[in-house]
Amino acid sequence: MQSYGEQVLVRGLSFLAEKQAATAHNLANVDTTSFKRRAAVAVDSPQSFHSMLERELPVLTYEERTDLQRGILRETGNRLDIAIDGPYWLRVQDDKGGQYYTRNGQLQLANDGRLVTRDGYSVLDQGGQPVSLGTGDDAPSDLSISPNGTIQNPVTGQTWTPLAVVSLPRPEDLVPIGKSLYVDPKGQKPTQAGDGVQQGFLEGSNVDSLQELVQMITIERT
């Protein structure tokens, strides 16, 4: 049976390893659009440790949490680029109907007229349907996207239902799965945002590379 001191030592070393991995992951994604830095934190464990004196001593566990602070917005001039200014999310969908949240607004038009992310996920409107802008002669030659997510063809005046730009009661419960996508294991009810879309901009990573390098040095010293 391990002593309390041994348990603390092992858990402490495990925490440092996880913290180092999170920091390395942040540094690798410093230039990734809309990437949110990860941080390893200590949390209370429901378990306790009985010492040889029959005293209950606390036990800590460690987990990663996402820093959801907004990254710096940079202008691209691309009419299909959008940045989300505020605590909001875009709702997107894969070809099997699975839904996700993202803040990566690098959008493009698919061959079938759908508005999709760079990885091919359909962007949803506020009614939960994929946004389709038409193909061939019906496809707009230019697009205007208002702050509330409404898409308009400035040439013909045609408009489309606003994009699903939503807020969540507990965004910290979202789980990142890669490609700037997040899943909501708790099935929260999203609320349509009133504004927050900036056309022609993209949100950068919220990673401060200098801060992460200092963090890495501190971990190595520890």
Side-chain angles (χ1 to χ4, degrees):
M1 181 178 178
Q2 283 185 322
S3 69
Y4 182 73
E6 289 173 328
Q7 285 209 9
V8 170
L9 177 61
V10 171
R11 289 177 183 270
L13 291 173
S14 297
F15 170 64
L16 289 174
E18 291 179 14
K19 195 169 185 178
Q20 185 181 55
T23 303
H25 186 60
N26 292 337
L27 284 170
N29 286 278
V30 68
D31 293 321
T32 301
T33 300
S34 77
F35 176 80
K36 303 301 178 192
R37 67 181 295 272
R38 302 284 289 168
V41 295
V43 295
D44 289 331
S45 171
Q47 300 175 340
S48 60
F49 179 83
H50 284 273
S51 72
M52 288 186 295
L53 298 177
E54 295 301 320
R55 293 176 55 197
E56 285 193 1
L57 300 176
V59 175
L60 295 178
T61 59
Y62 305 97
E63 63 182 32
E64 277 192 13
R65 291 182 182 171
T66 303
D67 178 358
L68 296 177
Q69 293 187 74
R70 196 202 73 181
I72 296 175
L73 305 187
R74 57 184 176 85
E75 188 172 6
T76 66
N78 188 332
R79 305 291 285 173
L80 287 177
D81 284 343
I82 61 172
I84 309 298
D85 188 5
Y88 311 123
W89 302 82
L90 277 173
R91 292 180 69 191
V92 298
Q93 179 176 286
D94 62 21
D95 55 5
K96 296 180 181 178
Q99 295 191 8
Y100 309 88
Y101 293 95
T102 186
R103 287 179 60 90
N104 189 340
Q106 287 182 295
L107 309 181
Q108 57 192 17
L109 283 178
N111 293 333
D112 59 2
R114 288 177 302 119
L115 186 65
V116 299
T117 67
R118 189 177 61 173
D119 295 305
Y121 291 81
S122 297
V123 178
L124 301 181
D125 62 24
Q126 67 177 6
Q129 299 300 314
V131 176
S132 182
L133 303 178
T135 59
D137 294 337
D138 294 330
S141 58
D142 192 13
L143 286 176
S144 173
I145 305 176
S146 68
N148 72 352
T150 299
I151 302 174
Q152 183 179 41
N153 184 337
V155 177
T156 65
Q158 181 182 1
T159 61
W160 288 265
T161 303
L163 303 175
V165 181
V166 302
S167 62
L168 294 168
R170 290 183 55 82
E172 61 271 19
D173 289 338
L174 295 178
V175 178
I177 60 170
K179 297 182 179 180
S180 298
L181 297 174
Y182 293 76
V183 295
D184 180 15
K186 297 191 175 180
Q188 303 174 72
K189 184 177 181 180
T191 302
Q192 184 72 17
D195 56 23
V197 175
Q198 290 198 32
Q199 184 179 18
F201 287 79
L202 286 176
E203 178 188 6
S205 163
N206 67 353
V207 175
D208 183 332
S209 58
L210 181 59
Q211 177 185 341
E212 297 298 323
L213 285 171
V214 171
Q215 180 87 285
M216 184 68 78
I217 293 171
T218 302
I219 294 170
E220 291 292 341
R221 285 179 174 175
T222 304

